[in-house]
Amino acid sequence: MSKTAQDYFNEATTLCQNKKYKEAIPLFSKAIKLDEGNLKIRYDRAKAHFKLGEFDASISDFNLLVEKEPNNGYFLSERAVAFHLNKQNELAMVDLNRAAELEPNKPFRYSSRAYIKERMGDLEGAIEDYERCIALDPDDAIAHNNKGLVEEKLGYQARSKVSFARADELDPNYDKEKIEKSRQERAELNKPQTEKVAKTDLSVDKLTVKGYLKSVKSLASDKSERKQFFKFIKQIFKAEN
């Protein structure tokens, strides 16, 4: 009996669950050949390529997904991450801007764009987007905390203290010592680097993201938007390791 698209998809999904993305991709491809209109299969293949760091292939799949559903903010946001990690930052920002235009009342659209802006060096732009996020959701502790991190990076110490204090006030159930340690680690990483460290920029960037993730993880709440933002930056970090 011949296998169906669902059979191949199920096998590929099981392989992905075991982090065997390379073995899963040919099975996703067979499933797509049998059911070309199934966007879920193509999306999962895009993510498998992404996990392997095969960003060109991932973007190719996301291109078709966006072509089929041009107003899907989720597809645009996911493709933006792939563009960013593929050093195509201008295209990443086009997608993030479009996602924000499509869903202007969704705080996550601004917090995710803010994170990419920070990584691109647009710190003032990142702060503006965190402020947009906070305007829509004043109780978002993560946005307040992350805005404080960027303000600290710019040397706006008084402003960063206000942001951190508000984050602390909104989420009293975090480990204060852990958060303070991660903030200190990030502050150290943001200081001018020595010549020796400057030669390992990628390692420094990874460490910076690690510190960032520690802060966000400690502040994570049950709100779906915050979970989505944490997933957004976590996938960036994983793709770089």
Side-chain angles (χ1 to χ4, degrees), residues 117-118 121-128 130-131 146-160 164 186-187 190-191:
K117 282 184 177 180
E118 182 192 357
D122 181 10
L123 304 185
E124 293 288 359
I127 290 175
E128 289 177 5
Y130 280 129
E131 288 175 345
N146 293 347
K147 183 165 79 78
L149 292 169
V150 181
E151 290 166 339
E152 187 177 62
K153 198 171 184 179
L154 280 167
Y156 302 155
Q157 299 304 324
R159 287 170 57 179
S160 69
F164 289 147
R186 185 181 173 98
N190 287 332
K191 288 180 179 179

Side-chain angles (χ1 to χ4, degrees), residues 119-223:
R119 287 172 57 85
M120 290 171 59
D122 181 10
L123 304 185
E124 293 288 359
I127 290 175
E128 289 177 5
D129 268 345
Y130 280 129
E131 288 175 345
R132 289 188 181 99
C133 174
I134 290 168
L136 291 168
D137 185 2
D139 296 333
D140 189 338
I142 290 175
H144 285 284
N145 181 74
N146 293 347
K147 183 165 79 78
L149 292 169
V150 181
E151 290 166 339
E152 187 177 62
K153 198 171 184 179
L154 280 167
Y156 302 155
Q157 299 304 324
R159 287 170 57 179
S160 69
K161 287 180 181 179
V162 172
S163 296
F164 289 147
R166 182 58 178 152
D168 298 347
E169 178 185 353
L170 288 168
D171 195 340
N173 298 317
Y174 67 92
D175 185 333
K176 286 190 175 183
E177 184 177 346
K178 189 174 183 180
I179 287 293
E180 185 58 32
K181 182 179 179 182
S182 68
R183 288 173 180 166
Q184 290 174 0
E185 288 174 349
R186 185 181 173 98
E188 285 297 317
L189 289 168
N190 287 332
K191 288 180 179 179
Q193 302 297 320
T194 63
E195 181 180 354
K196 181 177 180 180
V197 176
K199 292 179 180 178
T200 58
D201 288 339
L202 183 57
S203 296
V204 172
D205 189 56
K206 286 181 180 179
L207 289 171
T208 302
V209 178
K210 282 183 179 179
Y212 194 92
L213 285 169
K214 287 179 183 177
S215 297
V216 176
K217 187 173 183 179
S218 299
L219 286 169
S221 73
D222 292 332
K223 297 186 74 172

Side-chain angles (χ1 to χ4, degrees), residues 5 10 25 34 36 92 109 141 151 171 174-175:
N10 291 342
I25 287 173
L34 293 172
E36 293 185 2
R109 294 298 167 220
E151 290 166 339
D171 195 340
Y174 67 92
D175 185 333

